Amino acid sequence: VRLTAQFDRRRADLKPGTILMREWNAKAYRVMVIEKGFAWNGKTYDSLSKVAFAITGTNWNGPRFFGLRDKLREEVKS
């Protein structure tokens, strides 16, 4: 099973109302999963990568930035 397919399934498992948290440069960020994507700082984003860019100003893989990518690899190993 491809990792991308695993993430797509994982994203579907992120239920609306789930809060993703990340600390960046000594500041805590909370992003809420909503039906149409992700909500942060009063805006809606269609991908976690766009949220990560808004927070950092640089291109990040969103799932990796929020710690979801590493958890996926552990699940794939199981």
Side-chain angles (χ1 to χ4, degrees):
V1 177
R2 290 183 358 192
L3 192 57
T4 304
Q6 286 289 331
F7 178 70
D8 288 342
R9 184 170 31 228
R10 173 81 173 203
R11 182 176 180 175
D13 290 342
L14 291 174
K15 306 262 187 271
T18 300
I19 302 291
L20 303 173
M21 297 178 60
R22 167 67 198 251
E23 186 174 315
W24 177 258
N25 288 338
K27 186 174 178 184
Y29 294 90
R30 294 168 43 106
V31 174
M32 180 178 283
V33 178
I34 59 175
E35 293 214 17
K36 295 184 179 186
F38 306 92
W40 175 71
N41 205 25
K43 294 183 181 178
T44 300
Y45 298 85
D46 62 359
S47 76
L48 280 175
S49 295
K50 290 179 181 177
V51 177
F53 182 84
I55 291 171
T56 66
T58 59
N59 289 321
W60 271 86
N61 175 287
R64 177 169 286 160
F65 181 78
F66 285 97
L68 299 176
R69 176 67 50 93
D70 295 335
K71 290 177 185 174
L72 270 176
R73 287 193 179 137
E74 290 300 317
E75 288 175 7
V76 170
K77 288 180 188 176
S78 303

